[in-house]
Amino acid sequence: MSPSLWGLFGGAFNPPHYGHLRSALEVVELLRLERLLFLPSGGHPFKGADLLAPTTHRVAMTALAIAGEPRFALSTVEADRPGVSYTVDTLTRLSREHPDRELVLLLGTDLLEELHLWKDWRTMIDRTHLCLLTRPGFPENLSRTPAGRFLASHRVDGPAGLHRAVLGHHGFLIQPVTMLEISSTDLRHRVAAGRSLRYLTPEPVAEYIQRHGLYATH
Ligand code: ATP
């Protein structure tokens, strides 16, 4: 029997929203993931600290956002690390802590563009399966990016291919999922403008933002 697959969904979650949650749920179902770990970032290598709500708040909001879906879980591996946190270190740690699980790193299309700039990205790819989340109907042109060109040779043709790849080396999958037109940036702007977040993020997250006065100016 092949080992169980756990997905890793990293992000700033600043704040989390239904775009994250909907695509995460679809991935869980399509890839038959036993668990999907949400990994709020700590210090972020590419985002200025002034745009980020404090890590403790983003962790708390992520916990509120995923409550109620038993296959979703929170991991503070990245959030707890002092200073800048790198995905390769997270993968090394999680694969040591869960040697009986296979890990799948989930990435948005936007991240494929910059993947070759990530610390030790080739090592990182060696330690995990990779699943690129795309919008339905928009096949990616892999040859456009250095990481995409490398990954093309590891590509499997669907979720079943990923499970087959478990029994040997790592696979790369392009998985179309529903991408709601929602971004954390837009949510922050709405808060700063005094507008409602209703139907863009779970109500407990919106209430948390209001209670703690997050994003009132940015
Ligand atoms: P920001 O607007 O601040 O850049 P964001 O909304 O893109 O934030 P992140 O926390 O940076 O959210 O994203 C975490 C992960 O979720 C990334 O892999 C990103 O590609 C993905 N993601 C973000 N928004 C959506 C969405 N609407 N649908 C599906 N996936 C999304």
Side-chain angles (χ1 to χ4, degrees), residues 9-13 17 19-20 23 47 107-108 110-111 179-180 182-185 188:
F9 193 33
F13 301 119
H17 52 68
H20 298 131
S23 55
K47 289 192 181 177
L107 294 179
D110 45 327
L111 297 178
M179 295 236 175
L180 304 173
I182 302 176
S183 71
S184 301
T185 304
R188 295 194 299 272

Side-chain angles (χ1 to χ4, degrees), residues 106-140:
L106 309 177
L107 294 179
T109 317
D110 45 327
L111 297 178
L112 188 65
E113 306 268 338
E114 63 178 47
L115 193 63
H116 64 287
L117 303 175
W118 290 19
K119 185 184 163 213
D120 301 337
W121 68 276
R122 295 281 290 264
T123 312
M124 192 180 87
I125 288 169
D126 275 346
R127 300 216 168 123
T128 180
H129 302 291
L130 220 113
C131 178
L132 187 69
L133 307 181
T134 63
R135 284 166 204 277
F138 289 87
E140 282 314 298

